[in-house]
Amino acid sequence: MSLPSATTGPATAGPDAAGPATGDDPAGRGGDVHAAWLPPEAFAPLGSRRVLVRGDGVLVDTVFDEVERACARHGGRADRTAGDRAVDLVLALRDAGPLPAAATALARAAGADGPLGGEGFALARAEGVTVVLADAPAGLLYGLFHLVRLGAAAFEGDHPVRRHAPAMALRMLDHWDNVDVHPVMGQVERGYAGGSIFWRAGAARRDLDRVRAYGRLLAACGVNAISVNNVNVHATEARLLTDRLGDVAELADALRPYGVRVHLSVTFAAPVVLGGLPTADPVDPAVRAWWAAATRRVYARIPDFGGYVVKADSEGQPGPFTYGRDHADGANLLAEALAPFGGVVHWRAFVYNHRQDWRDRSTDRARAAYDHFAPLDGRFRDNVVVQAKFGPIDFQPREPVSPVLAAMPATRLAVEFQVTQEYTGQQQHVCYLAPCWSEALTFAPWGPGGPTVADVAAGSGPGPAAGGGLAAVANVGDDPFWTGHPLAQANLYAYGRLAWDPGLDPVAVLDEWIDLTFPASTVGDPALARETLHAVMDDSWRTYERYTAPLGVGFMVSPARHHYGPDVDGYEYSRWGTYHFADRDGVGVDRTRATGTGFTGQYPPPWSQVYESLSDCPDELLLFFHHVPYGHVLRSGSTVIQHIYDTHFAGVQQVAGMRQRWRRLAGVIDPAVHARVAERLEEQLRCAIEWRDQVNTYFFRKSGVPDVRGRTIH
Amino acid sequence: MSLPSATTGPATAGPDAAGPATGDDPAGRGGDVHAAWLPPEAFAPLGSRRVLVRGDGVLVDTVFDEVERACARHGGRADRTAGDRAVDLVLALRDAGPLPAAATALARAAGADGPLGGEGFALARAEGVTVVLADAPAGLLYGLFHLVRLGAAAFEGDHPVRRHAPAMALRMLDHWDNVDVHPVMGQVERGYAGGSIFWRAGAARRDLDRVRAYGRLLAACGVNAISVNNVNVHATEARLLTDRLGDVAELADALRPYGVRVHLSVTFAAPVVLGGLPTADPVDPAVRAWWAAATRRVYARIPDFGGYVVKADSEGQPGPFTYGRDHADGANLLAEALAPFGGVVHWRAFVYNHRQDWRDRSTDRARAAYDHFAPLDGRFRDNVVVQAKFGPIDFQPREPVSPVLAAMPATRLAVEFQVTQEYTGQQQHVCYLAPCWSEALTFAPWGPGGPTVADVAAGSGPGPAAGGGLAAVANVGDDPFWTGHPLAQANLYAYGRLAWDPGLDPVAVLDEWIDLTFPASTVGDPALARETLHAVMDDSWRTYERYTAPLGVGFMVSPARHHYGPDVDGYEYSRWGTYHFADRDGVGVDRTRATGTGFTGQYPPPWSQVYESLSDCPDELLLFFHHVPYGHVLRSGSTVIQHIYDTHFAGVQQVAGMRQRWRRLAGVIDPAVHARVAERLEEQLRCAIEWRDQVNTYFFRKSGVPDVRGRTIH
């Protein structure tokens, strides 16, 4: 019996594994959890100031507590009342009363352009005083963490007034955490960082210090919502909505001081399985009444509850189809119950035939989300967010952007990413995903220069609908480094930052993360550390792509629950609708209108033509859209078969180079971080070699075409 | 997540599933367990006689109890003392004192050729009296069940004296039952008939009625030994040797009346894990003393304990290699401890590199048993049985006979079969295996006309060693039909019968089984039932072979724990050493001396030459020994590729025919049996179609050669 090393390797090492903190201990946990991007050293510039915090409310208290702790450590001084003493940093709500003279002018200038919004803030500096202003407490909290990011620069020279506000109102993480340990999927479905920080073996874990520490990290990167249980809602988890609601309320209480609202994944069958009704039919008055009452009870306990997440009629989950209703009927049912309280439904568009017959080439899973949802555009209530995966299949390392995102102008759409590295190395491999997400967010579905995917998600696309923001599957667990692979922390950080500002450059985001996580004062050779981290991480997603499935064809991964390591034919004869159709002559999926499944027709022009065209289709998506002979010449000038060989040899070489470079950081950074990453780079190299050899051998055996460079293909 | 239907299907339906008894209730279980080949009707001819049973001892008591119960039901009369009353059946030990006059002459004649042995018996009939004589109680028990098999014929006309004795002294079943439910392998490793009849969820099950019913079935087919736990010995199971020994003793007590001795699988590391010693080195005096003492304690509780079964240094199990010792050192250690009590060690020859690199074509798993064991010939103690799987790999539907069986003339060898259908349809498919075993047993390793594999196992081969008999992995569980698939009962029955007499014709054995299991008095149309059962079962092994891996190449099965359903490349890039090397030009494993791994050289002539030769090698083993182009013409006249297509289409057609024929038995036989078989034939057809389509498509994609008959290949 063979298991992938991901399930037996260091990811499951748990709390006994090496996990010294470089860091702070805001939650009093005794230093056994890594500080991630909030080590105390990151607060040094701020902590040496004379600081005035003005305003009331729990989030302002959080701001003050942060400032006070930083000042206690670094010699500064924190006040909440404006006395006669000189200050050099002011963090204030605009309606909090008079500010020191030096700050007043700045405050006036900052507010000149109108309200800052519920989460926005303005920052300026003049006459030796730095001022952060907000209209609402959450804005002040985000302003604080912005100061931390700026570091010493926030207190040098003058800064003209700059206003900051998130592009997206909803910046959400979905936890696929189970309350019970699922017999196949475990405590966290697709979790690669140990157990859940919320649940353990059937019960709430109640490690609220850890939950608070998590909320703090989320606030510092901009995430403002989480759902606390798996979208596959099993029996015990269903009851979080009713008799186990107290467990959810406890999490909400712990996260509230960090501006993070709690959402819940619910089962559409709840009226039946929890309420004892004979039906869950969305038009049944008793069903509507049941949801209304259940929701009322939720808000009685959790006044700022975010809403429901639903995976319906997909992969075996119950849904409205049972009753002859559609997704709009289903989503609107829950939206109706949530509307009085300001809650939203995240309704996943991940719906497809998961019992496909591999012999049937007319069914195309890529078409499914569009086919199911596009016809429903305009039928969803305002507080329904249709949550679509960024690509049409399932979080592969390379997919085109989903055509659904351009097809529902009258619907609030959220774009869903996967921070947990299910198909991208399971946090055994370095795979910095921000470049992938950035490509998707800046993609212009109606052609270059037009609105982007980020615009759609932000509600500034061509349609009238508000934006659904971003959602993503979380990658944290009870691992002392939070994410198993310490460098996978950067994915969580970058996800939050891109949700706040999708225009950010992924490499610049990585720089932020490096500055925060590896403060110069804690690193032997900061320049070397930065250079190495960039060298190892910047291109790591494309490196992963190189040594895995070629040219966008996807799914050559070990099937069933594994999804780790190569198995070229692993899905080829399965019911999952993910095929590559390689034969002795060629490979790829014909999704053209002319001769294939017609999926290209789901895109608006120009992309429908670009993808349809064998000569215009981007190389990296060629096999997603076309079945071509091995000798087909790519836009790059290489043949498909030679490209496969070249990229697989190159990918392994790059991983070997990453491992080599990482060795130079020994003794330079925190030895626990260094050791954990070093150990995983060994596994990454082993696995990359396996990918290279299996993929190359597979295609050599099929094509019979030798490598023009004469390298070893087994 | 996809699971094979074998794990979710009716096999696990448990005691609530349909399981009405046609049958007897010898163990007072209330008729919820199928009577298999011992329904009360099978005892009708015997039960209407006036019977005298003579002799003492527990096994003679068993004989008398059987006779008495049959007579009570069918109007006969059973006595244990020879009074004046007339008898027409005598079952007697020869030293049990005077017999009725009519029997005395027959007894003299029957004994003229010397002793009958510990398990033999003689049968004769004259002057209206049938006589069964034995020298030992076990012989009388086997004689009784022989009478049952003969039925009415035993009481008609005269029968000259005929002596019967088993060809093999050891006729053993290995239960791969776990005490604990193993997280991956479950309660019974490779069990397809529900839970264990011995263990449940960490404890002894104590359903001794069921164990006795099992012992009775074993005695009636000739099995005289079982090991009661898995050869992969986990922590709890290891303790059956020590503090859990009482559980084993209880099973031994229940099985003793049926002549079945109990053996135990032990871990070679027992002195360390149970005894607290620092080593398990076989030459260490403390280790030898530990085994001696442990074994003494076993025999104090179980005086007729059979011995130990060991899987050492294989697939992760501990063994003598840890201490730089070899298998002879290891086996002899345990043999020394068992010798004073007459116990034996079954030491498995299933040893190979299970962490092979698929890139390395020089390592050949087929060579492993010979390479490891042949050099040790002559070094094993007399009470060591080296237990070798019949083929060089692992119970595939088609393998050549293992060359080990011809390579150790000075070693007691047992041949191991697999009654449980791990690779042969998991008791979802009809696959009557006796023809496969018969082929192996009658194979002549030194050439046609010479000694056979059965001779080697019986100790009548060319070497001086005694025979190790047969061993086989059991196929029963707590399923009401014992074996999940009711027709799989025939495999267990046939295994015992072939161990008793390996020269039996598998079709004749099936006739015996049909007569016993479906007595004419219980069947609507006996001729139709017999014809249908033969039509469905006789050729079912070859049918299974046709629609699965072609031409002896093996392992195109779903990997890891599944081993059910097709996955052509499932093992192709794995560490298990089981590859087919299919590319666009051809397929097969070159095991020749000239250009391959040299495995053919492990056979004595003529087989070394036959297998080495591309033209002489039997078609059904061609791809086991040779890598050939798809256009290679077989001895049958067909090309390899066309043979693949033809056999796969034919195999499915045959399964469809089996299903069709089975329908005609509705209303003819026990409806519960009919329904269970009918349901599994549906699954078999579904699965056979999947095999056909995946294998045909795989090879069509690789070869590009169309089917000359133009049938659909997807």
Side-chain angles (χ1 to χ4, degrees), chain A residues 78-343:
Chain A
D79 282 310
R80 293 197 74 159
T81 50
D84 295 337
R85 300 199 285 183
V87 297
D88 44 15
L89 171 59
V90 175
L91 291 139
L93 293 185
R94 281 207 284 192
D95 65 0
L99 297 175
T104 306
L106 284 177
R108 198 173 306 119
D113 290 334
L116 293 159
E119 297 182 311
F121 60 91
L123 185 140
R125 179 175 169 85
E127 300 170 45
V129 181
T130 301
V131 177
V132 174
L133 282 181
D135 287 344
L140 209 58
L141 183 65
Y142 293 122
L144 167 77
F145 287 118
H146 185 68
L147 278 182
V148 174
R149 265 195 301 277
L150 289 176
F155 306 100
E156 290 163 0
D158 281 1
H159 295 228
V161 172
R162 189 164 159 211
R163 295 163 64 98
H164 299 260
M168 326 252 182
L170 280 164
R171 306 179 301 278
M172 181 152 171
L173 281 171
D174 291 351
H175 280 258
W176 287 358
D177 297 19
N178 297 314
V179 179
D180 287 332
V181 176
H182 187 272
V184 175
M185 292 303 177
Q187 188 76 69
V188 181
E189 182 159 337
R190 310 305 179 185
Y192 310 104
S196 166
I197 58 173
F198 303 139
W199 319 104
R200 181 158 52 195
R205 192 163 173 157
R206 305 229 142 74
D207 183 356
L208 298 177
D209 287 341
R210 182 84 187 243
V211 176
R212 279 188 281 271
Y214 181 52
R216 187 169 172 259
L217 290 172
L218 296 184
C221 69
V223 171
N224 68 354
I226 66 169
S227 69
V228 298
N229 65 304
N230 189 357
V231 289
N232 294 315
V233 181
H234 309 293
T236 299
E237 292 75 9
R239 294 166 49 207
L240 293 172
L241 179 63
T242 52
D243 58 309
R244 284 176 178 254
L245 180 61
D247 294 338
V248 182
E250 207 168 63
L251 295 175
D253 291 344
L255 292 168
R256 188 170 295 112
Y258 303 98
V260 177
R261 288 171 84 175
V262 161
H263 298 236
L264 199 58
S265 292
V266 296
T267 171
F268 194 78
V272 177
V273 299
L274 300 173
L277 297 188
T279 178
D281 185 343
V283 306
D284 186 290
V287 170
R288 293 170 60 195
W290 188 87
W291 278 109
T295 305
R296 215 164 28 241
R297 284 190 296 270
V298 171
Y299 279 91
R301 288 294 293 277
I302 311 169
D304 59 351
F305 179 73
Y308 300 138
V309 179
V310 187
K311 173 179 177 180
D313 287 315
S314 178
E315 298 187 327
Q317 295 297 307
F321 288 178
T322 307
Y323 309 101
R325 315 298 173 190
D326 63 24
H327 286 284
D329 298 325
N332 290 342
L333 165 73
L334 306 190
E336 176 189 55
L338 288 159
F341 311 98

Side-chain angles (χ1 to χ4, degrees), chain A residues 18-25 30-36 39-41 480-481 670 672-673:
Chain A
T22 54
D24 202 352
D25 189 12
D32 58 344
V33 175
H34 189 258
E41 294 80 1
F481 292 103
D670 174 2
V673 171

Side-chain angles (χ1 to χ4, degrees), chain B residues 349-352 364-375 388-389 391-392 402-404 408 602:
Chain B
F350 184 57
V351 173
Y352 68 101
D364 182 0
R365 174 168 162 182
R367 294 184 56 111
Y370 182 104
D371 285 345
H372 280 290
F373 282 86
K389 295 190 178 186
S402 170
V404 170
M408 302 186 75
Q602 293 188 342

Side-chain angles (χ1 to χ4, degrees), chain A residues 395-479:
Chain A
F395 298 139
Q396 294 302 289
R398 174 71 70 176
E399 295 190 34
V401 159
S402 170
V404 170
L405 299 170
M408 302 186 73
T411 305
R412 270 178 92 175
L413 289 173
V415 181
E416 183 175 344
F417 294 118
Q418 196 179 38
V419 185
T420 194
Q421 292 173 232
E422 177 175 1
Y423 294 101
T424 51
Q426 302 198 348
Q427 283 138 254
Q428 296 287 333
H429 297 221
V430 182
C431 187
Y432 178 54
L433 288 164
C436 169
W437 303 332
S438 176
E439 275 193 17
L441 290 167
T442 58
F443 179 79
W446 294 272
T452 64
V453 166
D455 292 332
V456 172
S460 51
L470 299 191
V473 189
N475 68 342
V476 305
D478 67 0
D479 173 74

